[in-house]
């Protein structure tokens, strides 16, 4: 894929926090692309590095953290090399983030209209009148009733679901090329979660926006994503088309996530749980970071970190991918065989 088709291209990104206890490599050499109008589900357990990936893209990593290596190209421009002034100009315009807590976006002491109009006016030379019209349209687009009245409200006058809709409206208002949605529905009740999920999906599709949907829930990613990337201990251990990841996972960690999905299981009390714990980022094992929890791990897995391999459909980091063990549908002729991507 060339840059012109990718809204975002992340190459070998490494982001670390330099703590007293040592260097915690929260994002450990990830490669990820997001096409225009494409929805990528970024999935992984707590602490796997999803939010740090999002913050790295947005240029929001603060001390003691820093991007150590790699590039993040937005429409071909490397954000890692960009000045803080340039990043501020891109944020809220070409690049936006929807946070789990909408109050990360909203200012409690400003009216909704002021905040929305400001987001337009700092990036675009339009009249205040035009900015107000756009703000109202943006609220209507996210399904806020009586938008003209809501514009005059303060955030505390709205429900949690409504606040998140406003935060989404602000994220979308300048038609960004890339949106990162970081678990924006987890704090909301189930019906509203689903509404917001499909709303953001449709808005992103309609505007050809690349969307990264961050979630710990593979089921949610399966609902909306075209592609799924699975993170484990700072690495993307598997990525590919959503249906392929769900139907024929290569990585045993992804298999475990699928087995622990409640769908189709009659006995929820006995839901599968991947045994063991995620490794400490300060003390990663020298081989595959999943090996201590992996039923298939052999000596090689404990000794050597698997390279990222590409079998033409899915990229994965595993010495013994599932489809090769279980006689999956991919023939060996389709294997690119151990080529780091
Ligand atoms: N400011 C910080 N200082 C030190 N370590 C940090 C800091 N921020 C994040 N980390 C570490 O980076 C790792 C990845 O964190 P991150 O927040 O990206 O996880 P996550 O996948 O988003 O998890 P969750 O599902 O809980 O949101 C964690 O181990 C965390 O402790
Ligand atoms: Mg997070």
């Amino acid at each position: 894929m060339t840059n012109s088709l990718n809204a975002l291209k992340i190459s070998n990104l490494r982001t670390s926090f330099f703590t007293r206890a040592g260097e915690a490599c929260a994002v450990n050499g990830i490669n990820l692309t997001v096409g225009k109008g494409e929805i990528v589900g970024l999935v992984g357990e707590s602490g796997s590095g999803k939010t740090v990936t999002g913050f790295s893209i947005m240029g929001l990593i603060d001390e003691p953290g820093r991007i150590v290596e790699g590039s993040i190209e937005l429409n071909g421009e490397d954000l890692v090399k960009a000045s803080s002034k340039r990043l501020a100009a891109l944020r809220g315009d070409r690049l936006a983030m929807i946070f789990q807590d909408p109050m990360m976006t909203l200012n409690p002491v400003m009216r909704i209209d002021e905040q929305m109009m400001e987001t337009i006016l700092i990036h675009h030379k339009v009249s205040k009148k035009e900015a107000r019209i756009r703000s109202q349209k943006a609220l209507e687009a996210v399904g806020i009733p009586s938008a003209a009245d809501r514009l005059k409200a303060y955030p505390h006058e709205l429900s949690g679901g409504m606040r998140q809709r406003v935060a989404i409206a602000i994220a979308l208002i300048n038609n960004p090329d890339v949106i990162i949605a970081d678990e924006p529905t987890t704090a909301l009740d189930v019906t509203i979660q689903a509404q917001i999920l499909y709303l953001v999906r449709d808005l992103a599709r309609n505007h050809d926006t690349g969307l990264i949907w961050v979630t710990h829930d593979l089921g949610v990613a399966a609902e909306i994503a075209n592609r799924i990337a699975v993170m484990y201990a700072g690495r993307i251990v598997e990525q590919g088309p959503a249906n392929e990841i769900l139907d024929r996972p290569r990585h045993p960690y992804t298999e475990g996530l699928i087995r622990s999905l409640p769908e189709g299981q009659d006995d929820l009390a006995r839901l599968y749980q991947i045994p063991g714990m995620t490794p400490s980022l300060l003390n990663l094992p020298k081989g595959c970071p999943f090996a201590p929890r992996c039923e298939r791990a052999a000596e090689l897995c404990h000794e050597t970190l698997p390279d990222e391999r590409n079998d033409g459909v899915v990229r994965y980091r595993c010495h013994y991918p599932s489809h090769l063990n279980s006689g999956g549908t991919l023939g060996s002729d389709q294997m690119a065989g151990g080529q780091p991507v």
Side-chain angles (χ1 to χ4, degrees):
M1 225 183 229
T2 64
N3 281 338
S4 62
L5 293 172
N6 285 326
L8 194 74
K9 182 170 191 259
I10 301 176
S11 308
N12 192 32
L13 178 70
R14 206 174 287 270
T15 303
S16 288
F17 292 92
F18 295 87
T19 67
R20 268 198 213 145
E23 176 181 351
C25 204
V27 173
N28 202 342
I30 67 166
N31 299 300
L32 183 70
T33 56
V34 185
K36 289 181 179 162
E38 185 178 48
I39 303 177
V40 175
L42 186 61
V43 184
E45 278 169 302
S46 189
S48 55
K50 308 181 297 294
T51 296
V52 174
T53 300
F55 274 38
S56 301
I57 297 166
M58 296 293 293
L60 294 174
I61 298 290
D62 284 327
E63 289 287 316
R66 131 174 101 79
I67 295 176
V68 179
E69 202 184 337
S71 61
I72 302 169
E73 285 173 33
L74 176 73
N75 301 318
E77 176 181 0
D78 188 358
L79 303 179
V80 176
K81 295 206 182 89
S83 66
S84 44
K85 194 174 160 203
R86 177 69 183 144
L87 283 172
L90 291 169
R91 261 198 310 267
D93 189 38
R94 301 297 85 228
L95 195 59
M97 188 154 179
I98 308 166
F99 303 90
Q100 184 168 356
D101 177 1
M103 293 314 287
M104 290 277 286
T105 304
L106 300 176
N107 183 335
V109 298
M110 271 172 85
R111 276 174 27 170
I112 304 297
D113 53 359
E114 292 175 295
Q115 309 194 34
M116 297 190 80
M117 288 164 67
E118 186 183 273
T119 308
I120 299 169
L121 293 169
I122 55 176
H123 295 291
H124 298 277
K125 284 200 173 74
V126 297
S127 68
K128 276 195 161 182
K129 190 178 167 207
E130 170 65 18
R132 178 171 295 279
I133 293 168
R134 285 191 200 176
S135 299
Q136 184 170 332
K137 279 194 180 145
L139 284 192
E140 284 161 1
V142 296
I144 291 189
S146 343
D149 290 338
R150 297 304 173 108
L151 274 176
K152 294 180 210 138
Y154 285 89
H156 72 264
E157 297 175 288
L158 305 175
S159 69
M162 283 295 158
R163 268 184 228 158
Q164 192 57 287
R165 283 175 198 258
V166 174
I168 291 167
I170 291 176
L172 293 163
I173 204 159
N174 290 323
N175 278 335
D177 300 311
V178 172
I179 296 180
I180 300 147
D182 191 358
E183 312 232 27
T185 61
T186 34
L188 305 172
D189 79 50
V190 181
T191 352
I192 297 174
Q193 273 188 25
Q195 286 172 6
I196 289 191
L197 194 67
Y198 294 116
L199 175 76
V200 177
R201 180 193 65 182
D202 294 342
L203 290 171
R205 274 193 194 153
N206 293 343
H207 292 99
D208 236 10
T209 308
L211 174 63
I212 299 182
W213 191 280
V214 170
T215 174
H216 61 275
D217 187 340
L218 186 60
V220 168
E223 279 291 318
I224 66 162
N226 309 112
R227 275 193 311 122
I228 291 177
V230 179
M231 273 193 102
Y232 186 78
R235 294 201 163 89
I236 292 178
V237 294
E238 172 152 27
Q239 62 175 306
N243 57 347
E244 192 70 21
I245 300 289
L246 293 159
D247 295 345
R248 270 178 298 275
R250 274 52 159 174
H251 200 285
Y253 177 61
T254 316
E255 267 178 57
L257 291 179
I258 292 170
R259 278 174 71 191
S260 41
L261 284 177
E263 281 95 63
Q265 303 200 20
D266 13 324
D267 190 355
L268 291 182
R270 294 184 56 196
L271 213 56
Y272 176 77
Q273 260 197 320
I274 303 169
M277 284 179 0
T278 47
S280 158
L281 297 176
L282 293 164
N283 192 18
L284 285 172
K286 71 171 168 174
C288 170
F290 188 63
R293 300 173 77 182
C294 180
E295 288 168 5
R296 286 213 292 275
E299 204 182 328
L300 174 65
C301 308
H302 292 285
E303 292 299 319
T304 318
L305 176 75
D307 287 332
E308 196 171 48
R309 298 173 184 208
N310 185 352
D311 61 21
V313 187
V314 171
R315 288 195 272 170
Y316 58 88
R317 280 179 179 271
C318 179
H319 291 301
Y320 301 105
S322 318
H323 63 301
L324 295 184
N325 293 339
S326 56
T329 52
L330 283 177
S332 57
D333 54 327
Q334 285 169 274
M335 291 291 297
Q339 297 297 324
V341 183

